[in-house]
Amino acid sequence: MTVIFKNILNKESLLNIYSRAVAFVKNNRILARVCSLCLIGMMAVGVSVVSVGITLGFKVNYSGSFIATVRNAQVFDAAKSIAVNNIEGSDADSAIETPSFKVTLTVADRLDSAAAVADAIIENTENIVKASALIVNGERVACGEAEELREYLEISRTRFEPEGAESKSEFTDKVELENGYYLKTEISDPDAVKAAVEAIGVKTVAVVTTDTEIAFSKKTVKTAEKLIGYSEVTTAGENGVNRKTESVELINGEEISRTELSNEVVKEPQTEVTTVGTAKTTASAAQRSAERSAGFISPLKRGSFTISAYYGDGRGHKGMDLAANKGTPIYAVANGTVTYAGYDGDYGNSVIIDHGNGLKTRYAHASALCVSKGQTVSQGEVIAYVGCTGYSTGNHLHFEVMVNGNRVNPISYIGLD
Ligand SMILES: [Zn+2]
């Protein structure tokens, strides 16, 4: 009950309430009887409020709003000097506006203290803001919003840390932030804050890791399992890694010292291995014997040629090249029927003989042909002469053996292995 009436008293004087109630009852005669009882009740309450300590006070109108209720103007003056003492800057006095006072009835214990009024003054003064001063080596260098200053400082302190390195940074100057109330005119503009923060010395110690590639080496391994001309990278080369770790000290981003902490190979390079074939044929002994049993003779007389290229030498060479002088006779390696005799692109002048049982032979780059298509030939019969027609860089016989249409290594067929 008391609380409610205190609130009412805060807004309107007791006299006001009383005169309004009287007017209300006068205008409503029918209710007069009932309300006279109310009036008696209200007056009783009024008496009780007075007994709690009703007193005269002054509402303080400051900068457009009521900020406090004081016993007298001296309380405001005291509050003002408390406020001025709490505001940084010599000109604080002028920032505080002149209040106006309005007499009021209030309860004694609702009168505000000078300290509370000082807070209200600070809060309601347009030109006073909560801020933080940046003090470097005991000297104030800038003033700004506390959180913003802290962020600037953090960015600035860590700005020389190399990316990806483990770093520690510290200011070399003594840095303090002083929170308080400041005049708006003392707040530095953002550029000035930035400049002041960046002028603070920074020491950075970073652990920097530098990786250097170690080039892989190459080696060649020979194998009799593969034909001459076979060449393949069987183990891919991979570069290794050498890692150097150093401690680097920077002052304001300038390197002043560097100490090696470690220097080691963290990944060995992998040697590239190229496997090359050395075999003239990869046929097994049994296969070779079976191939010889086809009964072929050499297409050129022994001693009239040298082997200039083997089968499968990496160019996709599907025959054997026997180098010989131009005009050296070429013999049918077995009996058969000529199925081709003519000029055939890269083969130049060439002959194909079908020997039956799926076996055929081809003779290419001839200078001249002695047979024609459909003709039967006997083993050892001269069918052409060595030349350099078609795709050929010198006089030679390119000789192929075909088994069911696939070109195979001729070497065992003609006993040159
Ligand atoms: Zn060839």
Side-chain angles (χ1 to χ4, degrees), residues 269-303:
Q270 170 77 56
T271 303
E272 179 189 278
V273 179
T274 302
T275 302
V276 296
T278 56
K280 293 170 183 170
T281 174
T282 53
S284 65
Q287 272 174 315
R288 284 202 296 272
S289 145
E291 285 160 6
R292 273 189 210 103
S293 72
F296 291 175
I297 60 164
S298 174
L300 298 181
K301 270 213 175 88
R302 296 263 174 179

Side-chain angles (χ1 to χ4, degrees), residues 33-108:
R33 259 186 119 76
V34 185
C35 285
S36 62
L37 287 171
C38 301
L39 260 181
I40 291 162
M42 283 183 77
M43 287 181 75
V45 172
V47 168
S48 85
V49 169
V50 170
S51 72
V52 181
I54 277 283
T55 178
L56 271 179
F58 295 91
K59 287 167 85 173
V60 182
N61 185 343
Y62 183 84
S63 193
S65 54
F66 288 108
I67 61 162
T69 305
V70 295
R71 184 173 298 279
N72 52 43
Q74 282 74 29
V75 178
F76 182 85
D77 290 341
K80 181 178 170 178
S81 68
I82 293 171
V84 168
N85 281 335
N86 275 293
I87 299 163
E88 310 296 329
S90 51
D91 206 24
D93 205 57
S94 67
I96 296 180
E97 298 162 36
T98 309
S100 62
F101 299 97
K102 192 182 171 192
V103 180
T104 186
L105 270 179
T106 185
V107 186

